[in-house]
Structure formats: structure tokens, C-alpha cells
Amino acid sequence: MTRRSHLAAIGLLAACAGAPTNSPATGAGNADAATAAVGRTTTRLRNGATLVVQRVPGRPQAVLQVGVAAGAVLFAPGAAELAVHVVAEAGDAANSRPSLRRRIEQLGGLLQVHVGPLTCWLDIRVAADAWPAAAKAVGEALAAAPPTRAEFERVRRDVVAARTAALTDDPAGGMARLLLLGESGGDRYVRALADRDASEVTTFLARGWRPELTTVVLAAAAEPAAALAELDAEAGASIGAWRAATPPTPMALIDRRFDSGLWWSPATAPAAAAAPCQLAVVMPLPDPAEPRAADEILALGCLTLEGVGGRLERVFADRGLGQVRWQATTVATADATALVLRTEAPGEQVATIWRALAAARASLQSVQPSRSEIDLARVRAPLLARLQLLDDGVRARRLRSDDPSMDAIDRRLAELATAGPEALREGVDRLLARPFACIAVGGAIASDVPDVHAFQPTPTAPSAPPAAATPSPSPTPAATAAAPAAPATASAAARPQPWLEQAAAAAGGAAALRRLDGWRSRAETRAEAAPALLDEQEWRRDGALTRTRTVLGESLQTKLAGDGGTERLGAVARQLDAAAIATARRELRRHPLALLAAHVRGELAFRTVTTGEAADRRLAVLETNDGGFERLRMHIDVESGLVRAVESWETMPDGSVVHLHEAWQDYRPVGVLRAPFHRLTTRDDGVQRAATAWTAWTPVFADPAK
């Protein structure tokens, strides 16, 4: 993300979180401090949320919108989208609370969800007299306890299925929307949604969905004072009664931007050069409230005239592409709208079309628009400017800005009508500084076009091993734990590579893992019928360990170095034997990031055991007996690439076999890596269970020069 984008995001968050001026103690006093604008009234609710009311007498429908400054650029990919859907879709069957969507539908209304880079919105349309009931439903949904894990997983499954279907049905249109969100691939986007854990979304809701970051917009026949009294009532579940559950905590911005260029999603199977490709040219429109937005809109009209006429059509004709016909549409997020020109063309022409598009844009600077071009564009410019406002929900959201009208656009267009062509120079420069992308779906990526971005529109998973090479189902652990693994042939060794590469990429990349030299951590472990154990440790790849485990006020200190190790409890110390030292080190080397780091350094080789379904996930199971492990299996989620479980078997001196199953979840960013912060350890198929939750996990990297 550019510095300018970071500042814009921070500025929006600061504006939404700023303390209200003359903020009264109650909603009644707040009505006196309300500021009136043309057709609207702006004030604050008791909880700090901004309220904008537009009175529209005689309107049969009311629009109620709730937006938060907690968009896709915050926290983790997919978290914002899942959070807004949890608010809209999650219910509580145990307490007979239906979801917000269900309650709005029972009122005969419609609920839509909008996600943008900076904000997320609930958009509700109900009958004119039903908005108080809708507002109460929203207040209860905002104040509701976090959903159960099962309810969250249902919402996540539905969102992933809907987004996958949308990308499958209309790849080019879906990809255009993702570019506006700063995404770089449909496959990566859907994987990020599927990977988000309930705890991550709960954290996002607690930090981002807060009253002081919220704007409530009501467009209805109600008087502003009556609307304020209803929304800010002290009794009942009004939106004004909603309170944040935790103190304010900042969330990190993630690097997301609309990258210009040619984005190409090639066909999954070889295609003839003349096979048709879908093409979509994506051009974000300026916000009408931006200074000189009219200049840029007029320049865009000179370029496209919405695909029919204009500089674009003439350049295409000059380059022998006169048969290309564009259809103009729009695609929108909560924060931005783009003009999208769509067409179909043979795959062999995509590179030529991309060059023609770039040449048409550049020509606006080398040969400034003529008076006739400007006059033609000026006729269409008011409509082009209003493409963002065709939906009444978008119009309502714009009420929160300082100037929601189009008057400034119309006045500036009138000025440009009498000015010379040179007056449009600024508009052209602003237009060419804005991101510009072309999406191609189908065919094969041309080798003669530099810097093509590969963009996979729909979720894919690495294919399973060929049927002839698929291993038999895994035998029961107890019966075969001590048996030697089958020798890995060259072809067998290659089979797990796609999953291992995917897992390394999901964890932060092979380069970072290769340098991972250890970590420092703090965690709490709980088991049934046992007191909580606090575990603080510092671990290094060479086997050095300093660990303190505290139970009921007593601390057990362990130090390992080289071939020796000691344990100390108070004043009593003892030397550890080789078996105890090896057991302690194997526990740490079973960590998913330690296993992946060992693999990328060439210290561990895996073979594929099987692939299959577990709950709602598809897993690839890989096995190794390298690196001192008697037998170890790693379960990789083929959708997200994350390691979900590690199994190991060890033969004890008495000949018995111990089986450990460690389930890993709650992956969080830690610098350049992503590490799991929760582990459920099951010993011998449920004889013992223990849950470990990390409160801190900091990686330590080796000096790259060594």
C-alpha cells in the first residue's frame, strides 16, 4: 500500500473515531447540537456513533444503513468481509434469536452487505413505517455475543460458496470487483475467506465494529428529532444503546492496492489461439466530492464515451481492431465505483488490445482533446458522473460526506463548456494518474507482453496424486507405528511438492522460513482436572532451549544446550538423560513452522499418504521418518495451505507406542510469518487432552550472511 493510501485510511479512521463536538450526555440534548444541511440533519448518538437523517416525506420505503470504518485494508485478508456477514447472518438458536437478515425479511424488507477497502455497510430497505423495528433488530445484532464456532463456520461456508459461485459465473466481473478491494487473485481471495478462524473474526468485530467508528444513515419520512429519539432511546435495544465490549485497540493496515496493468487468467486447459477470451477494462471513477472531479470525468468521456466513439474507438480502428465492440457497465464496492468496458476477443488479440488501450490513454497527453471531442464528452459527462449514484443505497451512504449533491460537478462542467481545450489538461493528468487495468479470462498468457499479472479467478486446489499412484488408506497407528516406512521413490518424493510449496507460501514464504532460527513465546496450557500451566520459552534451531513452566506458583526451569540438559525446581536440580532431552526437542520441532522450515532447508523429506475430507476441509496427509522422527504426519489444508494437524508416533522403552495428535489453528501474522496461536493435543486417541493458547510468539531469524 502506498504512503498516500495509508494516510487516507488512517485519516478516515481518525475522522470516524473523533470525539463529537459539544457531545451531550443524552440524546435529547444532542438534538439541539445537530447541524442541518440541505435535506439532512447530522448529529451524534449517545454511544458516539454519527447519525445522518434525511427526511423524505411521502416515500413508501425507508433506507437504514449502518457503516463502520473497518474495511478490507485492516487486520487480515477476508476478516472484514466475514465480520460484516457474521453481523448480518449469524443467529443464536439456543436463545431463539434469529439472524438480522431473517428479522429484516420477516418485516418484508431487504438486507444487503457492502464491503470496501475502508468501510463496510449494512444496507436495509423496509416499508416506511417499519424502520423502527429494523433499527431495533440492528441494535440487538450489534450488541449480540460472538457467535458459536459452529455458527461462524456455517456463515463462513456460505460466504465462501457464494463468492466462489460469483467468480465462476462471471470471472471478469468478479475480478474487477476484487481489484477495487486491492485483491490480486480470486483463488487467493477465496482461500483467505476459508482460512479465517472464528477467533480472528471475533477480534476484528471487537476492535473494528465500535460505536465511535460507526455512521448510521436514515432516509425516511420521519422527522429528524423523532428519528433521533427512536435510535437513541435509553430503554430497549436501540442502536444508541450499543456499547463496545473492549477498550479501543488499533489494528494494523495490510498492504492492499489497486495495481494497474494487464491481469490475465489463462484457461486451465490448452486452448486454440482463436478461442474467445472475456475482456474487462476497469477504470475507477473519481468521487464526485473530489475537487475538480468534473475535469477528470470529462477527460474520461473524451477517452471512452462509454465505449462508443471517443479516442479509444479511433485508436482501435487505426490499429485494425475496429471489430472490437465495448459494453459499458459499472462495478462497485462500499468505497469506490469503476467504469467497466467489457467485450470478447480471440486470445491471440489480447496483447494487441492491451497495447491499444495504453496508446489511447497516452494519446490524451500527446494530442490534447479537441473542441469537438470535448463537446461530445460534455453531453455525456453528467450521466457518467452519476453512474455512482444510480442506486438509492449509494446515494444514502453519500449523505455522510460534506457535499452529497452533484451541483459542483454541474457548475464545473458549465465552466469547461466555454473554456479552451487547454483547460482540460489537469483533468487528463488526474485521469492518467488513476489506476487502470485490463482483465483477460481465457486463452494463454502472451509471451511478448511484459509485466503481465497472473490472476486466478476461481479457487483451485493442487490436484491429488494420479489414481495409479494413490496410496492405500492409512493403517491404524497402534498396529504400524514401529513399522518402517516404504522407501520414497523419486516420483513419490515429487508428489507432495505442490502442497508443501503452498504451505510454505501460506506461512510467509520459503525465504523467511529458511532463515527461521527459533522463537520466543508465552502460552497457557489447560487440561481436564489439572491446574493451568504457564509456559515461557526461548528455543533455537540448534536445540538450545530455555523454558520456565509455572503451576500453582511453582516454577520448573529447563535448559538444554548441546548434548546436556538440566531441570530445576526451586533449589533442587537434576540432569536430564538423553531420552528426556530428545523428547523435549521433538515437541518443539513438531511445530508447523519448524517442520516447514526444516523442509525448505532440505532437512526433512515427505511423501504423500492420502488426500481426503475432514469436517468441511480437504486435507493432504504427508509423512516423514526423517530428522529423528520415528514417524510423523502433517495434515495440510489444500484450500488455505495451512498446517491443520501434526501426528507423531513413538515407541517407548517398554515397547508400547504413544500416539500424539496436535491440532493447530488460530493463525495470526507475526512479522513476515503466520503462526498458529492455538494447539489441541490429544494423546492415545483421547486418553489425555490439553489445549494450549499462546499470548505471544515471536520468531527469531538467523543472520542471512551466515
Side-chain angles (χ1 to χ4, degrees):
M1 176 176 289
T2 64
R3 177 175 176 81
R4 182 177 178 182
S5 299
H6 273 96
L7 291 174
I10 293 169
L12 176 65
L13 295 174
C16 292
T21 57
N22 300 323
S23 177
T26 66
N30 208 7
D32 297 331
T35 58
V38 178
R40 62 179 177 148
T41 302
T42 302
T43 186
R44 290 271 187 170
L45 299 179
R46 287 181 295 118
N47 58 8
T50 299
L51 172 63
V52 181
V53 179
Q54 182 185 42
R55 186 169 183 267
V56 281
R59 181 173 179 171
Q61 186 184 62
V63 176
L64 174 66
Q65 297 181 318
V66 178
V68 293
V73 299
L74 295 175
F75 195 68
E81 186 151 1
L82 286 174
V84 70
H85 277 91
V86 162
V87 174
E89 313 287 353
D92 185 352
N95 294 311
S96 301
R97 182 179 67 82
S99 69
L100 176 59
R101 181 178 299 280
R102 179 62 179 152
R103 294 185 65 177
I104 298 303
E105 290 173 348
Q106 290 171 345
L107 294 171
L110 174 68
L111 169 63
Q112 294 177 310
V113 168
H114 304 280
V115 179
L118 303 178
T119 65
C120 289
W121 288 81
L122 299 169
D123 185 343
I124 297 168
R125 328 290 176 88
V126 291
D129 60 350
W131 73 261
K136 180 179 179 181
V138 171
E140 291 179 351
L142 292 173
T148 63
R149 182 169 293 275
E151 184 70 354
F152 166 78
E153 290 176 351
R154 180 192 65 78
V155 172
R156 181 184 61 190
R157 183 172 60 250
D158 290 347
V159 172
V160 168
R163 294 294 175 259
T164 302
L167 284 167
T168 302
D169 294 342
D170 182 13
M175 290 162 63
R177 174 182 175 272
L178 293 186
L179 285 178
L180 287 180
L181 290 174
E183 293 285 350
S184 59
D187 181 50
R188 182 180 301 176
Y189 162 71
V190 174
R191 288 174 189 264
L193 289 174
D195 181 50
R196 293 281 71 80
D197 187 75
S199 60
E200 294 176 293
V201 173
T202 298
T203 299
F204 187 90
L205 286 169
R207 295 183 181 181
W209 282 70
R210 307 180 60 83
E212 66 270 21
L213 301 178
T214 300
T215 300
V216 181
V217 177
L218 175 66
E223 291 286 350
L228 176 61
E230 180 70 40
L231 292 168
D232 216 13
E234 295 190 25
S238 64
I239 296 177
W242 166 46
R243 296 291 184 271
T246 60
T249 306
M251 286 193 290
L253 293 169
I254 55 180
D255 188 10
R256 301 168 80 94
R257 63 174 72 87
F258 185 137
D259 280 333
S260 298
L262 175 59
W263 293 85
W264 201 326
S265 175
T268 55
C277 292
Q278 295 182 42
L279 293 178
V281 181
V282 187
M283 295 168 282
L285 296 171
D287 190 310
E290 292 181 17
R292 300 289 183 174
D295 299 55
E296 186 176 343
I297 289 169
L298 191 57
L300 181 59
C302 291
L303 175 65
T304 68
L305 280 182
E306 290 92 85
V308 181
R311 188 71 61 89
L312 188 65
E313 188 174 75
R314 289 201 300 278
V315 170
F316 270 55
D318 293 343
R319 295 183 173 231
L321 297 170
Q323 77 282 3
V324 176
R325 293 291 182 265
W326 301 99
Q327 180 181 4
T329 59
T330 59
V331 63
T333 68
D335 303 316
T337 301
L339 175 66
V340 180
L341 302 181
R342 304 183 64 162
T343 190
E344 277 196 0
E348 59 192 357
Q349 289 188 355
V350 171
T352 305
I353 289 173
W354 169 243
R355 295 190 187 96
L357 288 166
R361 278 170 46 86
S363 72
L364 290 177
Q365 282 185 323
S366 58
V367 180
Q368 68 182 25
S370 65
R371 169 49 59 188
S372 61
E373 285 180 300
I374 292 175
D375 289 342
L376 284 172
R378 188 172 55 81
V379 174
R380 306 290 295 276
L383 175 61
L384 183 59
R386 287 165 171 78
L387 284 177
Q388 304 177 69
L389 305 177
L390 295 180
D391 179 76
D392 61 352
V394 176
R395 292 196 298 273
R397 286 199 297 276
R398 284 197 51 76
L399 290 173
R400 75 188 192 277
S401 67
D402 292 334
D403 184 10
S405 72
M406 300 296 293
D407 293 346
I409 296 283
D410 294 335
R411 287 195 300 269
R412 179 58 181 165
L413 289 175
E415 293 173 5
L416 292 171
T418 58
E422 184 64 29
L424 199 57
R425 176 73 65 183
E426 179 184 345
V428 170
D429 292 343
R430 288 167 60 94
L431 173 67
L432 298 188
R434 194 171 289 274
F436 170 83
C438 179
I439 296 165
V441 179
I445 295 179
S447 59
D448 60 340
V449 181
D451 301 325
V452 178
H453 304 286
F455 197 130
Q456 181 61 43
T458 53
T460 59
S463 58
T470 302
S472 58
S474 170
T476 57
T480 61
T489 64
S491 60
R495 284 199 297 271
Q497 282 306 117
W499 293 298
L500 290 169
E501 291 173 0
Q502 182 186 1
L513 288 169
R514 192 172 288 112
R515 293 180 51 230
L516 181 63
D517 195 49
W519 58 79
R520 294 184 295 273
S521 67
R522 178 184 176 91
E524 185 178 78
T525 298
R526 292 183 176 273
E528 294 182 5
L533 179 149
L534 178 64
D535 189 329
E536 298 173 281
Q537 59 183 236
E538 185 168 345
W539 158 252
R540 291 295 181 273
R541 172 189 166 196
D542 61 6
L545 170 66
T546 301
R547 181 175 67 194
T548 301
R549 286 179 165 172
T550 304
V551 182
L552 298 177
E554 296 288 337
S555 296
L556 177 67
Q557 297 178 331
T558 302
K559 289 189 177 181
L560 306 181
D563 295 331
T566 61
E567 278 187 348
R568 177 179 294 275
L569 180 61
V572 179
R574 73 181 183 95
Q575 298 293 319
L576 297 175
D577 59 24
I581 293 172
T583 298
R585 285 175 171 162
R586 277 197 296 271
E587 176 187 349
L588 296 161
R589 291 174 51 237
R590 289 196 303 267
H591 191 284
L593 296 192
L595 292 172
L596 292 173
H599 167 72
V600 299
R601 290 193 294 259
E603 300 165 1
L604 279 182
F606 289 87
R607 67 182 183 89
T608 302
V609 175
T610 188
T611 60
E613 302 286 338
D616 60 344
R617 302 185 188 276
R618 183 165 177 249
L619 299 174
V621 182
L622 312 180
E623 185 175 275
T624 185
N625 59 353
D626 285 353
F629 293 111
E630 184 175 318
R631 184 165 170 232
L632 179 141
R633 288 183 173 181
M634 187 162 55
H635 300 231
I636 298 175
D637 185 335
V638 300
E639 291 186 356
S640 67
L642 299 177
V643 176
R644 294 298 185 185
V646 174
E647 289 184 279
S648 60
W649 292 265
E650 296 182 26
T651 302
M652 298 292 101
D654 62 0
S656 63
V657 176
V658 174
H659 170 235
L660 290 178
H661 182 282
E662 296 166 308
W664 297 89
Q665 58 184 354
D666 192 13
Y667 278 79
R668 304 180 191 176
V670 282
V672 296
L673 297 177
R674 293 181 67 201
F677 274 62
H678 189 276
R679 178 186 67 196
L680 178 63
T681 303
T682 305
R683 179 186 174 99
D684 291 337
D685 298 326
V687 172
Q688 296 176 1
R689 283 192 176 90
T692 302
W694 276 262
T695 55
W697 194 95
T698 305
V700 176
F701 294 101
D703 185 344
K706 293 183 179 179

